[in-house]
Amino acid sequence: MESKRRRDRRSWDWDSTECRAQLDEIFFRQHDYIQAGSPEHKEFWAFFERFQRFKQKRDVSGSNSNDEGGWEKKPRKSGDVNLGLPKEYDARYRINVSVCTRDVEERFSGSERRQQSTSGPGKEEVATCRLTLLHFLDFSQRQSFGKLAKLRREQRKLPIFQYRDRIIELVKTHPVVVVAGDTGCGKSTQVPQYLLSSGFSHIACTQPRRIACISLAKRVSFESLNQYGSKVGYQIRFETTRTPATKLLFLTEGLLLRQIQQDATLGQYEVLIVDEVHERHLHCDFLLGVLRSLLTLRPDLRLVLMSATINIQLFSAYFSHAPVLQVPGRLFPIQVIYQPVPPEEQPSRSEKLDPRPYLRVLQGIDQRYPPEERGDLLLFLSGVAEISTIQEACQTYATHTHRWIVLPLHSTLSLAQQDKVFDIAPPGVRKCIISTNIAETSVTIDGVRFVVDSGKVKEMSFDPKAKMQRLQEFWISRASSEQRKGRAGRTGPGVCYRLYAESDYEAFAPYPVPEIHRVALDSLVLQMKSMGLGDPRSFAFIDPPPAASIQTALTYLKEQGALDSHEELTSIGRLLAQLPVDVVIGKMLVLGCVFGLVEPVLTLAAALSVQSPFLRSSQHNPDCATARQPLHSNHGDPFTLLNTFNTWVQVKAERGGGSRKWCRRRGLEEQRLYEMVNLRRQFKELLKSHGLLEADQGAPCRQDRQQRRERHSERQKLHRLKRDHDLQEGTRRKVLRLEEGGEEGLGSSGSEGEESRKEQRDKGVDIQEVKFKLRHSVTELQEATSTSQDLSSRQQALMKLLLCRGLYPQLALPDEHNATRKDSEQIFHTRNKQGVIIHPTSVFASDPEVLHLPELESREPGAEKGESCKHQLLAFVTLLETNKPYVSNCVRVPALQALLLVASSVDTNADCTRLVLDGWLELCLSHGEAALRCLSSALMLRAEWERLLQAQLHQSTRGLAGPGPSRKDLEKLSEGLVRFLLYTEVSYSLRRLSALEIQNLYIGPQGSTGLNDTPVLNNLFPGMETEPHPLKGGLRVTSFLTYNCLANSKDLYSECLRTFWSCPNCDLYMPLTPLERMHHEATCRPAGEIHPEQEQGDGMGAGSKPSSTSSSLTRLYHCDICNKDLSLTSTEILKHKRQHL
Amino acid sequence: MDFVSTEGTPRGLFTCEFCELSTPYSYYGQKPPNTRGIVLLEECFVMKDPFSPEKEKFLILGSTCSLCHKTVCIGPDCSLFYTKRFCLRCVKEHLDQFPQQIQTELLKKKPAQTTGSASS
């Protein structure tokens, strides 16, 4: 041993690592309470230094020893009891712990001899170290106990604390209890703990927001002294800390609904707490309805509703007058100052907001309150545009006065920027946070002393007529107004400036409009259907939505094929109900599976379900724009997203955490891409579990042991990183720099300053990257995305079609005069809304030419003006009206082909040269021949597509039993679709019908005298069950195609329409009407393709008997002329009749 | 009753008879489990230290006053240890028997008593 070689005992040096190591061997061995190398061990030596310094200082001042002993001489006053305390004071007597370490063990075992012979620590050093260790243990005990005591003290100070026993008693004795309390009363953190400590053990607490689930779980596990256990956990869409030991779970409302979908009785929970019910989110309202009926099934279930003191009676009454416990909030007094905006400063509709009223408040604060008195300002505006207007003005003022840091806050900011509002302003400077109503409930910022309330909010509403979302500005409700005010009194007394008159306030609605009254109910109704809740129209909602809303949703779901005509779920509907996404996106996923385009479609579906990763603020940054350029696709925004995702995965595979920088350069919010990866995986798993996607049959980990071990140790490392991060989170708040407000927000989020700052904050650990690596395998992902990296033009065409079919009927037609308009004035029309505009974030906003018809198209002679074979339509994801109606996330598709393949209504004239799609788009083809060819290929493709789709869905709903569609059939179909999409060269005109034209579109029913009775008609389309259309007139050929129903069309049977035609598949050559011809084509297949059971008998012979193997296409036909009953296919009937002519 | 704690089965609820601090404890005695080498000089109510990730770290909640035998927490406003545990009430009663250091300390602390938190 080295220590033995050292001779000089006097050279003891406390700072030497060697000397310390020798003591470590005595005090901090493997099995000791503190082990060398542990964090406590490090703390000990730090403590040691402090302790020695402290002792030295005391020895120098020497004050202690002076009066020592003096006290003992005094006569005892309380002479009766002798406490038997030692005569001399020693701090060691105050420590109630002793430690048995090596020196003590050796002393007892008599092996002390080693001690004298060696160098190393002498008795003195050992004693010093021992004493310090005792003090250290005592100190750590006091420190931890201090934390505990503080925690308990704070819990007891909460207003809700005195209601603890009452709450527990109420919950034990009532199935439903309403706890109403305002901000700061502590209900969200305490009530779950009260129930937990009173013996309930399977508690779920729902929150409207994911972030609240995480932060509450963290806080409550800390408060319930379980921060290192898993008794308290959370579960949100892609993340959970739940284990079998979890007794209290925070989860989102949506997730609990999904769990009910899986297990209708929710047997896993004993108590359900629904928090923030007053916020009246769609999911929450629905959840309450579901739980109300669940209570009859589960009489043992306990339900606790927690609400602000808003409209409490509504909730109580809904649950048969459940008891209400009202808890006062804990707010400091807030002074309300009404400062209505003078008329000359009120903006007219088109103008920007006038910043003067807001600047006056800032000035007023500067004049009235000295800068040493801390307290920040929170300003509520209605929207992003308003925020940037006011931000600009405030920033100018701030730059001038050096007393403000101006920070915007809204959901389209990058998360890093949003996070900044929690940082601290330097002394003498206040934060001015300009926010949307996100800061009203979702985001809570401490330290706010002043609130400015514009009284306005922008709210999404749904216009069922135009199938359009609308973002409109409204006055807020009194409840919101109070909530905003309350934000000023969380940490001390505050001031609230209301920029409206008291009379305005009195006139506000009492509560905000619940979400269920404002939004499209498609997904909700679908979910209700899949939960077997019966007719949504009669569901007992707490506050039923308008019947029209439900009706619109039902109609829409029927249009989308999710419900059948009896409003029962179809197989596709059942599947869509499982997918936590919009119906349209769910449809795309299903369609993608059928065509083997799963990987790109998964990405697309994920991309369209999250907020755009492209940050708005970077849009005007030329560097970002240049860097983004290679990602753009002029086929449409979904393809840009696809490119972006794929490239990002590539970057991640190559550079790991370097992707963060890559994203910042391009103005991308990486968080969104992480969300996409997670969502994508969830979709994939759902598709697999529904048999739509084959489970990974490949490579059951052919890694050798070495690789597995490596992977395992890497995962362990990642887990450790994540845990360390979780523990540190929220403990580091940065101090803002004065210049911090201005530079960004107004543009450059990619600045280097921002970058280094962020890196600093994260100390190099990119927690998102860690989580990503824990959850996904980059190589797998890379493989998956590489298949969609370079889509061939064929795949691209198919993808567009899938998107279009998914998005249908969300289609927009470019205005015919767009080519002559400026880029910024391009307008489009949807079926229900004219004059919509492409959102500036869309690729088509910057590159509208790709939507124009080629100018110098070589026109075929005789082609009419406006005819072209290059017409395009836009399929779009959202139509949102703000100041103008905008479509966003658009993809362009060839008009004729897409319409014929997806439209739910195709109406024709007699020779099929005029087609009306969905009652609003008219296509005119000058060539009857080409028109027919198109229509009939479209018919066949659609029939086959539908057949294969159904086969796939049936297979998936019945497990693996049924025969899925054959690969060969699928390949043939995609081949056919691609050919149809890319190589249909037919010239046509395309226009939107006027309202008047739409009114007089159809010939209408043709009287009762009888088309129905005409045998000819009945037999024309035997396979297709043709019948006269009851409303439009003409003949309904398929569910979507109605023949010859357009007014001003030529007569159905006029012989002049018959033209000679030869069938390419059989030797038929005869004059046929378009209808007859289409029908022949639909039933006549090339020889090789005929299915055995479809073998056609030779019907030409007038007297041939119906064969026993007659196909399902044959019909019993009575020929009046031969006076015979024949079993013939429709074509055969036609042929038969020809014989008699 | 099921109290919240990570380690072992909670033995019961510790409640300080002075400040009413109340929390479940998992061990009572002088030899906290899994802590070789540690011996307490009084019988204590002990729990696993909830603020440490390590399972073996313990936290002393309180013990019994050697004079009045009331249960008392180790918080400086409730008790002190000087070779034995004394609740502050008993300390005050017999203040003259305590060394000067402790006497001055207690006098100094009085005004700050309301905000007093343990040695953090």
Side-chain angles (χ1 to χ4, degrees):
Chain A
M1 264 199 231
E2 201 182 334
S3 58
K4 283 186 180 166
R5 260 176 268 130
R6 295 187 47 177
R7 287 282 152 237
D8 186 6
R9 287 183 58 183
R10 291 298 98 208
S11 73
W12 184 259
D13 174 11
W14 282 110
D15 293 330
S16 128
T17 40
E18 276 169 31
C19 293
R20 286 187 180 188
Q22 286 168 9
L23 287 171
D24 287 349
E25 281 172 33
I26 298 174
F27 292 99
F28 308 115
R29 296 162 301 169
Q30 258 321 295
H31 54 269
D32 278 323
Y33 187 63
I34 294 171
Q35 293 105 34
S38 65
E40 289 80 21
H41 175 248
K42 229 168 117 191
E43 274 170 42
F44 168 80
W45 284 111
F47 178 85
F48 183 90
E49 280 160 29
R50 267 182 291 144
F51 187 68
Q52 295 305 320
R53 271 202 303 276
F54 169 77
K55 258 193 0 191
Q56 267 170 16
K57 230 165 79 187
R58 205 185 48 189
D59 289 349
V60 167
S61 67
S63 57
N64 274 336
S65 46
N66 281 353
D67 36 24
E68 208 164 305
W71 58 281
E72 186 56 30
K73 288 166 197 150
K74 284 177 196 162
R76 231 178 270 151
K77 269 183 275 169
S78 48
D80 42 352
V81 194
N82 184 355
L83 302 184
L85 297 177
K87 293 200 168 148
E88 278 187 24
Y89 176 79
D90 192 323
R92 196 193 311 195
Y93 295 141
R94 307 187 66 166
I95 300 172
N96 64 348
V97 184
S98 74
V99 192
C100 178
T101 45
R102 200 183 83 191
D103 55 321
V104 184
E105 284 168 16
E106 282 170 354
R107 211 177 307 144
F108 279 116
S109 65
S111 55
E112 232 175 323
R113 59 203 141 65
R114 286 180 64 208
Q115 182 99 20
Q116 330 113 356
S117 65
T118 59
S119 57
K123 271 188 180 156
E124 206 181 309
E125 282 89 12
V126 172
T128 308
C129 189
R130 155 174 299 281
L131 183 68
T132 316
L133 175 58
L134 290 176
H135 277 283
F136 176 67
L137 289 173
D138 186 55
F139 168 77
S140 333
Q141 285 294 321
R142 285 172 189 280
Q143 202 174 34
S144 277
F145 183 82
K147 268 193 206 169
L148 175 69
K150 183 173 172 227
L151 189 74
R152 289 288 189 248
R153 218 165 28 241
E154 278 169 7
Q155 285 180 326
R156 295 161 63 100
K157 269 198 284 189
L158 288 169
I160 200 158
F161 181 74
Q162 58 193 104
Y163 300 89
R164 183 180 188 272
D165 296 337
R166 179 89 184 111
I167 289 170
I168 294 170
E169 188 207 317
L170 278 175
V171 174
K172 282 190 169 156
T173 51
H174 295 81
V176 185
V177 177
V178 180
V179 177
D182 283 321
T183 317
C185 80
K187 59 183 186 309
S188 299
T189 53
Q190 302 305 303
V191 172
Q193 286 186 70
Y194 296 166
L195 298 178
L196 196 60
S197 66
S198 75
F200 290 104
S201 68
H202 296 281
I203 306 172
C205 180
T206 69
Q207 293 294 324
R209 286 166 288 275
R210 286 182 229 170
I211 188 106
C213 294
I214 300 176
S215 57
L216 277 172
K218 196 176 276 178
R219 179 69 202 168
V220 171
S221 63
F222 174 75
E223 281 193 25
S224 55
L225 311 180
N226 200 257
Q227 112 191 72
Y228 297 98
S230 60
K231 203 159 272 184
V232 182
Y234 66 85
Q235 189 170 9
I236 56 177
R237 188 142 80 167
F238 302 115
E239 258 184 276
T240 184
T241 57
R242 187 182 194 172
T243 70
T246 303
K247 299 194 162 181
L248 168 60
L249 183 71
F250 290 92
L251 74 176
T252 54
E253 292 154 353
L255 207 64
L256 185 65
L257 279 168
R258 296 262 160 217
Q259 292 181 351
I260 300 177
Q261 225 169 325
Q262 310 296 326
D263 168 19
T265 60
L266 222 46
Q268 55 178 316
Y269 301 119
E270 197 180 342
V271 186
L272 296 175
I273 304 173
V274 184
D275 201 359
E276 316 282 12
V277 286
H278 64 278
E279 288 189 22
R280 305 296 307 279
H281 293 281
L282 179 64
H283 277 143
C284 187
D285 269 18
F286 177 44
L287 183 62
L288 291 181
V290 175
L291 293 178
R292 195 169 87 143
S293 45
L294 181 61
L295 282 169
T296 56
L297 289 174
R298 286 274 317 271
D300 58 317
L301 187 72
R302 300 286 110 154
L303 181 59
V304 182
L305 308 184
M306 300 209 287
S307 147
T309 48
I310 294 173
N311 215 356
I312 311 160
Q313 277 320 307
L314 175 75
F315 301 105
S316 168
Y318 185 57
F319 287 97
S320 38
H321 299 282
V324 175
L325 189 97
Q326 205 160 336
V327 181
R330 187 175 62 182
L331 274 185
F332 294 90
I334 300 163
Q335 183 192 0
V336 177
I337 299 172
Y338 287 96
Q339 280 186 3
V341 177
E344 68 274 14
E345 290 174 6
Q346 262 160 18
S348 68
R349 214 169 164 255
S350 55
E351 274 172 37
K352 275 188 172 179
L353 207 56
D354 192 324
R356 282 177 292 179
Y358 301 90
L359 288 172
R360 272 200 298 275
V361 175
L362 263 71
Q363 279 169 334
I365 293 172
D366 282 343
Q367 284 159 12
R368 224 159 299 147
Y369 304 93
E372 310 79 62
E373 273 183 33
R374 299 203 68 127
D376 300 320
L377 169 71
L378 177 59
L379 214 154
F380 285 101
L381 292 176
S382 62
V384 178
E386 289 76 9
I387 288 177
S388 55
T389 306
I390 301 303
Q391 186 192 349
E392 214 171 304
C394 289
Q395 188 54 51
T396 314
Y397 178 75
T399 314
H400 181 69
T401 60
H402 299 290
R403 283 171 74 171
W404 294 90
I405 290 176
V406 185
L407 300 168
L409 176 63
H410 49 83
S411 60
T412 61
L413 284 178
S414 75
L415 299 177
Q417 279 179 315
Q418 289 186 30
D419 203 43
K420 224 178 251 185
V421 302
F422 298 109
D423 288 345
I424 305 155
V429 178
R430 297 177 201 283
K431 285 187 285 183
C432 169
I433 299 157
I434 311 181
S435 171
T436 56
N437 62 338
I438 189 175
E440 202 176 295
T441 46
S442 320
V443 179
T444 300
I445 309 154
D446 279 331
V448 170
R449 179 176 172 192
F450 308 99
V451 162
V452 178
D453 178 11
S454 67
K456 299 285 176 60
V457 68
K458 273 195 186 140
E459 239 168 30
M460 203 68 96
S461 58
F462 178 67
D463 177 351
K465 229 179 96 206
K467 259 280 168 194
M468 177 175 73
Q469 309 223 67
R470 198 171 269 145
L471 193 63
Q472 278 175 301
E473 194 177 78
F474 298 101
W475 281 113
I476 56 174
S477 65
R478 289 203 293 275
S480 294
S481 177
E482 288 303 293
Q483 181 73 25
R484 290 181 177 189
K485 177 182 104 183
R487 295 284 155 170
R490 289 178 53 82
T491 28
V495 187
C496 174
Y497 301 87
R498 288 179 168 161
L499 301 190
Y500 41 87
E502 193 162 5
S503 57
D504 292 329
Y505 173 81
E506 303 295 344
F508 287 171
Y511 316 111
V513 180
E515 196 178 3
I516 202 165
H517 289 257
R518 292 189 277 117
V519 298
L521 302 178
D522 311 334
S523 300
L524 180 75
V525 168
L526 185 63
Q527 203 174 3
M528 292 179 76
K529 278 286 170 191
S530 90
M531 290 168 78
L533 294 173
D535 187 348
R537 278 164 285 227
S538 55
F539 186 79
F541 284 105
I542 187 163
D543 189 353
S549 273
I550 295 185
Q551 192 51 53
T552 309
L554 285 166
T555 312
Y556 176 76
L557 290 171
K558 277 189 244 175
E559 272 172 24
Q560 295 289 340
L563 296 178
D564 64 19
S565 52
H566 307 294
E567 292 177 3
E568 295 300 323
L569 278 181
T570 60
S571 43
I572 194 169
R574 235 181 310 278
L575 183 62
L576 291 175
Q578 302 288 317
L579 298 173
V581 285
D582 263 13
V583 174
V584 284
I585 290 164
K587 258 171 64 188
M588 277 179 224
L589 282 171
V590 176
L591 295 169
C593 291
V594 177
F595 285 112
L597 283 168
V598 182
E599 297 298 345
V601 169
L602 280 169
T603 306
L604 271 189
L608 297 179
S609 313
V610 304
Q611 239 183 57
S612 169
F614 293 99
L615 288 168
R616 285 297 303 273
S617 54
S618 316
Q619 184 133 37
H620 306 294
N621 179 332
D623 294 338
C624 283
T626 319
R628 276 182 192 180
Q629 201 52 49
L631 304 173
H632 280 272
S633 162
N634 75 9
H635 288 279
D637 307 306
F639 291 98
T640 300
L641 288 168
L642 185 64
N643 289 343
T644 305
F645 182 82
N646 290 341
T647 318
W648 177 73
V649 169
Q650 218 57 41
V651 171
K652 260 200 133 17
E654 285 159 20
R655 292 182 242 166
S659 63
R660 183 157 62 168
K661 197 165 185 180
W662 183 88
C663 285
R664 221 167 290 149
R665 286 267 153 78
R666 282 153 189 80
L668 288 164
E669 175 59 65
E670 193 169 27
Q671 182 60 32
R672 307 277 168 259
L673 292 160
Y674 284 119
E675 286 169 17
M676 279 162 64
V677 185
N678 292 337
L679 203 51
R680 200 178 176 284
R681 182 159 124 172
Q682 190 190 17
F683 290 163
K684 199 168 190 174
E685 275 157 14
L686 274 165
L687 293 176
K688 272 184 200 158
S689 69
H690 285 83
L692 278 169
L693 204 58
E694 283 170 44
D696 285 326
Q697 67 277 75
C701 292
R702 254 172 295 144
Q703 306 161 313
D704 54 38
R705 197 181 297 166
Q706 176 65 23
Q707 277 171 312
R708 268 208 303 276
R709 202 180 302 141
E710 271 168 28
R711 174 77 183 144
H712 181 71
S713 79
E714 199 203 333
R715 285 185 70 84
Q716 274 190 325
K717 204 178 114 204
L718 291 169
H719 273 298
R720 212 161 37 240
L721 279 172
K722 181 169 183 294
R723 209 182 74 175
D724 290 351
H725 173 89
D726 288 351
L727 291 177
Q728 285 170 359
E729 209 176 12
T731 56
R732 297 185 305 255
R733 288 268 72 122
K734 258 201 64 133
V735 176
L736 292 158
R737 285 171 293 126
L738 193 53
E739 63 275 23
E740 203 129 19
E743 97 228 23
E744 58 219 273
L746 297 178
S748 60
S749 68
S751 72
E752 289 299 315
E754 167 85 351
E755 211 159 294
S756 60
R757 181 177 184 281
K758 182 120 207 278
E759 241 117 68
Q760 225 179 324
R761 168 173 296 185
D762 294 355
K763 281 191 187 151
V765 178
D766 181 351
I767 189 61
Q768 294 303 334
E769 160 85 4
V770 171
K771 286 190 196 168
F772 170 83
K773 279 192 182 158
L774 273 174
R775 226 172 277 155
H776 307 277
S777 146
V778 189
T779 30
E780 248 172 60
L781 202 59
Q782 202 183 1
E783 267 168 45
T785 51
S786 66
T787 58
S788 58
Q789 193 98 63
D790 296 298
L791 292 175
S792 66
S793 60
R794 306 159 51 81
Q795 285 173 312
Q796 184 145 46
L798 265 184
M799 283 286 291
K800 280 184 176 184
L801 180 64
L802 298 192
L803 274 164
C804 185
R805 182 159 175 193
L807 294 173
Y808 176 85
Q810 289 160 203
L811 298 175
L813 171 75
D815 188 81
E816 50 186 328
H817 302 300
N818 273 354
T820 60
R821 289 196 179 98
K822 283 196 287 183
D823 281 7
S824 56
E825 286 166 8
Q826 304 283 310
I827 60 172
F828 296 80
H829 311 286
T830 72
R831 183 177 181 175
N832 301 311
K833 185 83 189 169
Q834 293 172 26
V836 302
I837 294 170
I838 291 188
H839 198 265
T841 52
S842 170
V843 65
F844 298 118
S846 47
D847 193 8
E849 285 85 14
V850 293
L851 296 172
H852 300 161
L853 293 175
E855 259 180 67
L856 290 166
E857 195 187 342
S858 55
R859 288 218 184 105
E860 290 175 48
E864 283 174 44
K865 194 175 173 294
E867 281 205 0
S868 163
C869 52
K870 299 262 190 298
H871 288 287
Q872 295 184 90
L873 292 176
L874 281 185
F876 58 87
V877 179
T878 43
L879 169 56
L880 170 67
E881 187 173 84
T882 53
N883 53 347
K884 290 171 193 158
Y886 287 108
V887 286
S888 46
N889 269 331
C890 308
V891 61
R892 60 187 168 97
V893 291
L896 170 84
Q897 295 93 315
L899 284 170
L900 287 181
L901 289 175
V902 306
S904 64
S905 145
V906 179
D907 302 317
T908 78
N909 64 356
D911 61 356
C912 300
T913 52
R914 182 169 171 244
L915 306 174
V916 173
L917 288 309
D918 292 327
W920 71 288
L921 286 171
E922 183 197 68
L923 288 167
C924 287
L925 300 91
S926 42
H927 290 271
E929 177 64 28
L932 274 179
R933 223 174 26 236
C934 259
L935 193 57
S936 107
S937 358
L939 277 184
M940 283 188 290
L941 287 168
R942 276 182 82 147
E944 182 66 358
W945 191 356
E946 214 46 48
R947 186 180 74 82
L948 295 180
L949 184 63
Q950 287 308 322
Q952 178 96 55
L953 288 172
H954 272 284
Q955 183 206 17
S956 73
T957 47
R958 285 170 200 168
L960 300 166
S966 78
R967 194 162 292 269
K968 206 181 111 207
D969 283 355
L970 286 171
E971 270 162 24
K972 236 183 105 227
L973 173 62
S974 34
E975 184 62 38
L977 287 172
V978 167
R979 210 180 310 130
F980 183 67
L981 286 166
L982 293 179
Y983 309 117
T984 303
E985 298 257 332
V986 53
S987 203
Y988 58 98
S989 66
L990 172 65
R991 68 184 188 102
R992 180 172 50 93
L993 292 172
S994 70
L996 192 68
E997 283 172 308
I998 290 171
Q999 257 179 26
N1000 304 306
L1001 194 55
Y1002 301 113
I1003 48 174
Q1006 295 302 294
S1008 59
T1009 48
L1011 284 170
N1012 267 332
D1013 309 330
T1014 328
V1016 182
L1017 248 175
N1018 269 343
N1019 293 313
L1020 256 174
F1021 293 99
M1024 294 181 174
E1025 299 194 6
T1026 312
E1027 54 177 4
H1029 196 287
L1031 295 172
K1032 296 177 180 175
L1035 279 179
R1036 188 196 272 157
V1037 180
T1038 66
S1039 59
F1040 57 91
L1041 177 68
T1042 311
Y1043 171 73
N1044 199 27
C1045 61
L1046 296 177
N1048 308 322
S1049 295
K1050 296 166 212 167
D1051 177 40
L1052 169 58
Y1053 299 109
S1054 73
E1055 286 294 310
C1056 65
L1057 281 174
R1058 291 187 191 274
T1059 45
F1060 273 95
W1061 177 73
S1062 57
C1063 175
N1065 295 334
C1066 62
D1067 55 355
L1068 180 79
Y1069 176 75
M1070 57 172 68
L1072 296 174
T1073 67
L1075 193 60
E1076 287 162 355
R1077 189 178 134 184
M1078 273 189 299
H1079 178 242
H1080 176 84
E1081 282 184 299
T1083 50
C1084 179
R1085 295 286 165 86
E1089 251 182 72
I1090 296 172
H1091 297 275
E1093 73 272 23
Q1094 278 183 343
E1095 249 171 61
Q1096 298 184 2
D1098 179 16
M1100 285 302 277
S1104 65
K1105 290 278 167 201
S1107 73
S1108 54
T1109 58
S1110 68
S1111 101
S1112 59
L1113 292 172
T1114 59
R1115 277 274 170 103
L1116 199 63
Y1117 170 67
H1118 179 80
C1119 178
D1120 294 331
I1121 299 164
C1122 325
N1123 202 16
K1124 276 181 185 163
D1125 285 324
L1126 303 167
S1127 176
L1128 300 175
T1129 69
S1130 55
T1131 327
E1132 289 160 359
I1133 297 169
L1134 281 173
K1135 287 177 186 170
H1136 181 88
K1137 281 191 291 181
R1138 288 267 142 216
Q1139 291 182 318
H1140 299 303
L1141 287 175
Chain B
M1 292 258 267
D2 183 10
F3 296 109
V4 186
S5 111
T6 328
E7 273 318 284
T9 16
R11 300 253 327 263
L13 196 63
F14 166 83
T15 306
C16 171
E17 289 182 54
F18 294 87
C19 70
E20 287 174 30
L21 176 129
S22 165
T23 203
Y25 69 95
S26 52
Y27 173 78
Y28 179 75
Q30 287 182 273
K31 195 79 198 62
N34 306 319
T35 53
R36 254 189 75 181
I38 299 276
V39 178
L40 305 182
L41 303 179
E42 55 175 339
E43 304 254 300
C44 288
F45 294 92
V46 176
M47 72 184 292
K48 180 218 166 284
D49 184 353
F51 308 106
S52 164
E54 279 163 74
K55 283 183 181 163
E56 305 79 41
K57 295 288 177 277
F58 65 92
L59 173 61
I60 300 169
L61 297 167
S63 62
T64 317
C65 172
S66 58
L67 285 179
C68 67
H69 303 292
K70 280 187 175 159
T71 306
V72 63
C73 76
I74 65 160
D77 295 335
C78 293
S79 74
L80 65 77
F81 186 84
Y82 192 72
T83 70
K84 282 176 264 187
R85 177 70 54 187
F86 299 99
C87 74
L88 239 46
R89 202 176 288 163
C90 289
V91 174
K92 274 171 206 152
E93 233 167 79
H94 305 282
L95 196 61
D96 53 326
Q97 292 191 46
F98 284 86
Q100 195 61 49
Q101 282 84 352
I102 290 177
Q103 292 185 25
T104 37
E105 225 171 84
L106 286 179
L107 285 172
K108 254 190 264 170
K109 213 170 64 182
K110 258 186 187 145
Q113 204 153 27
T114 41
T115 58
S117 91
S119 62
S120 56

